[in-house]
Amino acid sequence: MHPCFFRSPWEYVAALGGAGGKGNRFFLANDNRAPVTCTPGQPGQERVLHLELKTVAHAGMVGFPNAGKSSLLRAISNARPAVAAYPFTTLNPHVGIVHYEGHQQVAVADIPGIIPGAHQNRGLGFAFLRHIERCRCLLFLVDLSLPEPWTQVEDLKYELEKYEAGLSQRPHVVVANKIDLPQARASLPLLQERLGQDVIALSAVTGENLEPLLLRLKVLHDADAEAELRQGRRPLRW
Ligand SMILES: Nc1nc2c(ncn2[C@@H]2O[C@H](COP(=O)(O)OP(=O)(O)OP(=O)(O)O)[C@@H](O)[C@H]2O)c(=O)[nH]1
Ligand SMILES: [Mg+2]
């Protein structure tokens, strides 16, 4: 059999150990009750493999700097990414685990903020976008306290789509953060209308309305797990 074989759809043997040698017990005989003879085993296979991480998390947070991605991850999981009132606080993805009843877990990634032109590699463009590509579903996080918040969703989707066609169409939910700020709540109806889709409005800081997001996350996760099973693949587990 080829040395790199699949034992099951989700198990891969990259390098086989060598055939074992014969131990002392093999040489046990009536006239030799305590053999000290043995034979060495064969060397195992050695390979140099270049591995590429395909999945970072079930859900990835996509948003401009300062939208509150890290604050939200802190609010829904025990991850502790730094939060600060300036852009690009987060420079590497952080993964937090959301725990549900019945020991179910959903991994959510706080991905560094993307900026307009990311698809042309502006800022840390490609690096950020690659992290997004490695998430099964997306949370578009907008700062509802900024004017015309729908433009954030449009711009984010544009960057994703330019980077990889279809990426912005991954199963997703739009999350409007900072609902605790006075000017934010007022623009929610217009945001829903402009996007023509349901939006989950919440506050990562006060914890208001986190529940609907957690429920939606689970729905997205379960739908993905079912689709994976239907295709004979193992659903992601953390
Ligand atoms: N009022 C209010 N402020 C918030 C909320 N969420 C985040 N903030 C504030 O917004 C600022 C940015 O929050 P972060 O969580 O660091 O934002 P981020 O999206 O992770 O930013 P980058 O890592 O730079 O991409 C901080 O000052 C937070 O305290 C919220 O729900 N309400
Ligand atoms: Mg951050």
Side-chain angles (χ1 to χ4, degrees):
M1 192 182 299
H2 191 273
C4 317
F5 62 93
F6 289 91
R7 288 189 186 173
S8 71
W10 40 76
E11 206 175 329
Y12 175 71
V13 178
L16 287 176
K22 293 186 173 69
N24 297 149
R25 276 177 63 89
F26 181 85
F27 297 96
L28 197 64
N30 282 340
D31 57 351
N32 187 1
R33 308 305 303 164
V36 290
T37 318
C38 63
T39 62
Q42 299 298 310
Q45 256 187 341
E46 283 186 28
R47 302 179 72 200
V48 176
L49 298 172
H50 177 81
L51 303 180
E52 185 175 328
L53 184 67
K54 285 290 180 194
T55 309
V56 167
H58 292 116
M61 285 197 241
V62 182
F64 288 115
N66 256 348
K69 301 175 294 298
S70 303
S71 306
L72 185 56
L73 190 68
R74 291 174 74 103
I76 62 175
S77 78
N78 51 8
R80 288 290 169 262
V83 166
Y86 52 82
F88 296 112
T89 309
T90 308
L91 290 175
N92 292 302
H94 290 250
V95 177
I97 307 295
V98 181
H99 295 269
Y100 291 90
E101 276 177 20
H103 304 294
Q104 200 179 11
Q105 299 182 335
V106 175
V108 180
D110 168 19
I111 296 165
I114 68 171
I115 56 168
H119 75 276
Q120 291 162 327
N121 211 15
R122 271 195 64 201
L124 293 174
F126 290 161
F128 292 177
L129 291 161
R130 274 180 80 80
H131 296 316
I132 294 168
E133 204 182 355
R134 291 170 177 152
C135 296
R136 314 280 311 176
C137 60
L138 306 176
L139 308 181
F140 287 109
L141 192 69
V142 300
D143 182 341
L144 195 56
S145 69
L146 296 179
E148 304 189 344
W150 52 89
T151 56
Q152 295 173 53
V153 182
E154 291 161 2
D155 293 348
L156 290 167
K157 285 189 171 177
Y158 176 82
E159 293 301 327
L160 265 52
E161 207 53 37
K162 283 283 172 190
Y163 172 70
E164 183 193 300
L167 187 53
S168 74
Q169 299 305 315
R170 288 239 172 119
H172 64 266
V173 56
V174 176
V175 178
N177 189 31
K178 310 196 184 182
I179 188 99
D180 57 295
L181 296 176
Q183 70 274 29
R185 203 172 288 269
S187 39
L188 181 59
L190 197 51
L191 173 65
Q192 315 234 45
E193 192 188 315
R194 292 294 291 254
L195 295 180
Q197 72 181 97
D198 194 25
V199 170
I200 297 176
L202 51 75
S203 169
V205 163
T206 67
E208 182 183 344
N209 217 30
L210 293 177
E211 194 68 18
L213 172 64
L214 296 177
L215 293 175
R216 185 72 68 84
L217 251 182
K218 193 167 169 333
V219 169
L220 286 169
H221 167 270
D222 291 351
D224 179 63
E226 271 173 37
E228 287 291 282
L229 279 175
R230 270 200 305 276
Q231 293 177 26
R233 293 197 291 262
R234 184 170 65 162
L236 293 171
R237 288 217 178 84
W238 259 260

